[in-house]
Amino acid sequence: MSKVEDFLTPHEEQEIVEAIVEAEKNTSGEIRVHIEPMSNKPHFERAQEVFHYLKMDNTKEENGVLIYIAVHDKKFVIYGDKGINRVVPDNFWDNTKTILENHFKKGNFKQGIIEGILMAGKELEAHFPWQHNNTNELSNEVSKG
């Protein structure tokens, strides 16, 4: 198996999907997780590419959030769409980033991702609360590259 398949078990991936569903219950924001072995580009640039590839830049309110993880490189990026960046301060993702970093340093990858997703959901809820006509615009599945 590659490092990507070893990074999370199928059960852990399902727990992450459940966390995304939970996080999106109270917000119109969309959260995705993408895992790949490494990037030959700067990680922020690669996260932007993946964001576009996953069509996350097509949400109605431009409020998609990608948690991009390059396993072999031991790097991650939290990337938010334009709609989010217009209404939040520059350090908006710092708390979420810190949660991920602290868990990743201990090897608790699944827990770090889950807590990061739930934190992102709470942060999104304040700026993009769920409305009765909201629909889930994007898949909640973990994507892999």
Side-chain angles (χ1 to χ4, degrees):
M1 276 204 228
S2 75
K3 281 212 175 236
V4 172
E5 277 89 27
D6 288 340
F7 187 66
L8 297 169
T9 67
H11 180 71
E12 289 172 326
E13 279 189 39
Q14 185 55 43
E15 289 181 72
I16 288 169
V17 169
E18 290 167 9
I20 292 171
V21 170
E22 181 64 29
E24 290 180 352
K25 277 184 181 175
N26 296 312
T27 180
S28 63
E30 295 285 340
I31 302 169
R32 297 281 319 257
V33 174
H34 180 82
I35 302 169
E36 60 186 24
M38 66 182 91
S39 176
N40 294 326
K41 299 180 178 187
H43 295 96
F44 185 81
E45 183 180 325
R46 179 63 183 143
Q48 287 177 305
E49 285 181 355
V50 170
F51 192 88
H52 179 71
Y53 174 77
L54 295 174
K55 301 189 183 328
M56 295 185 70
D57 49 359
N58 292 338
T59 60
K60 187 170 105 178
E61 295 186 65
E62 298 179 318
N63 58 357
V65 176
L66 174 66
I67 297 175
Y68 166 84
I69 302 165
V71 176
H72 185 266
D73 297 343
K74 297 182 179 176
K75 299 285 184 183
F76 72 90
V77 173
I78 301 169
Y79 184 81
D81 203 355
K82 294 177 283 205
I84 295 168
N85 293 334
R86 276 195 291 268
V87 298
V88 301
D90 289 341
N91 64 347
F92 186 67
W93 296 115
D94 286 355
N95 290 337
T96 306
K97 179 183 171 198
T98 299
I99 285 173
L100 284 161
E101 281 177 342
N102 289 340
H103 281 287
F104 282 15
K105 285 177 185 174
K106 298 174 191 168
N108 299 330
F109 304 113
K110 176 205 77 166
Q111 194 59 37
I113 295 168
I114 287 174
E115 288 187 26
I117 289 166
L118 295 175
M119 170 77 71
K122 285 180 187 168
E123 291 174 337
L124 286 171
E125 181 182 354
H127 299 279
F128 299 95
W130 185 85
Q131 305 294 325
H132 70 86
N133 61 345
N134 287 143
T135 58
N136 190 14
E137 297 178 81
L138 301 172
S139 168
N140 295 331
E141 297 300 312
V142 175
S143 63
K144 296 178 186 162

